[in-house]
Amino acid sequence: MPLIRLLAALLLLATPAAAGPTLDRILSEKTLRIGVRTDAPPFAALVDGRPQGFSVDLCGLIAGAIVATSKIEGLEGTMITVGAENRFDALAKGEIDILCGATTATLTRRETMAFSVPTFSTGLGAVVAADAPALLREVLIEGGPAALSQAAVAEALKAQTVGARAGTTAEDWLASGPLSKIDGISVAPVDDHAAGIAAVAEGRLAAYFADKAILLGQLRGSAEAESFAVSKVAFTTEPYALALPRGDEDLRLVVDRALSFLYRQGAILKIYERHFGRPSPQVLLFYSMAALPE
């Protein structure tokens, strides 16, 4: 559905009865501050100096939905770049109104922020060198029988150094999950995903952990992609959503209404295909279940 037709349809949606604190400021200042991560392709990144990605496209449509459902004129969207280390602080301080990126909705995070309906589903995976030891590949990449043996997993990762992006759910899982109990294993935080994958290539890390969608996005189109192997199975479930200020149900309603409309109309599938290829039956089911009825 063309964007103009989509926004025209959004005009038919119910207008919120009253604005909450963040939405009230948006309407008063006529400025929507969109926080865009610069380091999470294919969800949000700077490409030739411009924000691009799956989540960026979604936020672009949501900005239009706020204009349509609130019936205001002259609203300007301002893109503010954030990173993994400061994205939540920027949201809590009111520096941004919506966080567009690759953000996993967790109960702990809901103590300080709100989330939209789910926007994507992935899971934690690992990347290792293509010529990594067979046992390491089996437990982290192939998910073979050895992956079910605690002894085999411990043997594969004993005294190894693995990496994760600081401030992510991958770092939290490595710090407190099952691998943390392995004798001699150490976790090295890295500044960005590209640095983590480079450390694997250089042999400084036995494996680098991140959400599978991000790992595949980092390697897609790379001339060195065949030098790495990415997990075929996921170690966790990572439901992505757009992060919003806590306590503003009116803004959350506007965002969820827009997302649900996109899901029901199938417009989300065009955005998905643009960044990830043809949607699978599982993807179709995910978005049909994530949409809330009007």
Side-chain angles (χ1 to χ4, degrees):
M1 179 184 293
L3 179 57
I4 293 178
R5 289 178 57 195
L6 174 63
L7 294 181
L10 284 170
L11 283 169
L12 301 177
L13 299 175
T15 303
T22 302
L23 186 56
D24 184 65
R25 187 208 55 76
I26 292 171
L27 299 178
S28 175
E29 300 179 4
K30 295 190 176 181
T31 300
L32 177 65
R33 297 172 298 195
I34 301 173
V36 178
R37 283 185 63 177
T38 61
D39 55 359
F43 296 92
L46 291 182
V47 179
D48 297 328
R50 298 181 58 186
Q52 293 185 19
F54 176 82
S55 298
V56 175
D57 285 354
L58 273 184
C59 282
L61 292 181
I62 289 169
I66 292 176
V67 172
T69 58
S70 301
K71 296 181 173 62
I72 61 173
E73 297 180 358
L75 180 68
E76 295 183 358
T78 300
M79 295 285 186
I80 300 174
T81 58
V82 296
E85 69 286 344
N86 71 334
R87 52 183 169 156
F88 298 143
D89 286 341
L91 188 67
K93 294 177 181 178
E95 297 172 357
I96 59 175
D97 304 316
I98 301 176
L99 175 58
C100 300
T103 306
T104 301
T106 69
L107 293 174
T108 299
R109 288 175 175 174
R110 279 180 58 185
E111 294 176 0
T112 57
M113 66 193 75
F115 289 99
S116 68
V117 295
T119 59
F120 196 86
S121 180
T122 184
L124 183 65
V127 60
V128 304
D131 59 356
L135 184 58
L136 183 65
R137 285 180 55 92
E138 184 171 357
V139 301
L140 291 185
I141 305 302
E142 303 298 334
L148 302 177
S149 167
Q150 294 182 356
V153 174
E155 180 64 25
L157 290 165
K158 181 175 62 178
Q160 297 285 357
T161 299
V162 299
R165 178 74 191 271
T168 64
T169 52
E171 183 184 43
D172 294 339
W173 185 78
L174 288 174
S176 60
L179 300 190
S180 65
K181 300 176 177 63
I182 295 175
D183 184 36
I185 192 172
S186 60
V187 179
V190 300
D191 293 333
D192 56 53
H193 298 300
I197 293 175
V200 171
E202 296 165 3
R204 292 184 287 111
L205 294 178
Y208 178 70
F209 289 79
D211 295 343
K212 285 185 60 180
I214 290 180
L215 293 175
L216 293 172
Q218 289 283 324
L219 295 176
R220 187 179 294 116
S222 169
E224 301 178 352
E226 294 184 357
S227 300
F228 302 95
V230 178
S231 301
K232 294 180 180 179
V233 296
F235 306 121
T236 65
T237 299
E238 304 289 326
Y240 286 0
L242 302 180
L244 306 165
R246 194 170 191 266
D248 195 329
E249 287 300 308
D250 294 302
L251 177 60
R252 184 181 179 187
L253 175 61
V254 169
V255 172
D256 283 349
R257 175 170 279 137
L259 288 175
S260 295
F261 182 83
L262 289 171
Y263 298 174
R264 288 195 300 270
Q265 296 298 314
I268 185 65
L269 301 179
K270 295 181 180 179
I271 299 174
Y272 184 98
E273 187 168 2
R274 187 182 310 150
H275 297 281
F276 303 105
R278 187 174 180 177
S280 67
Q282 291 80 7
V283 170
L284 299 177
L285 178 62
F286 170 79
Y287 287 112
S288 67
M289 295 184 67
L292 297 176
E294 189 62 43

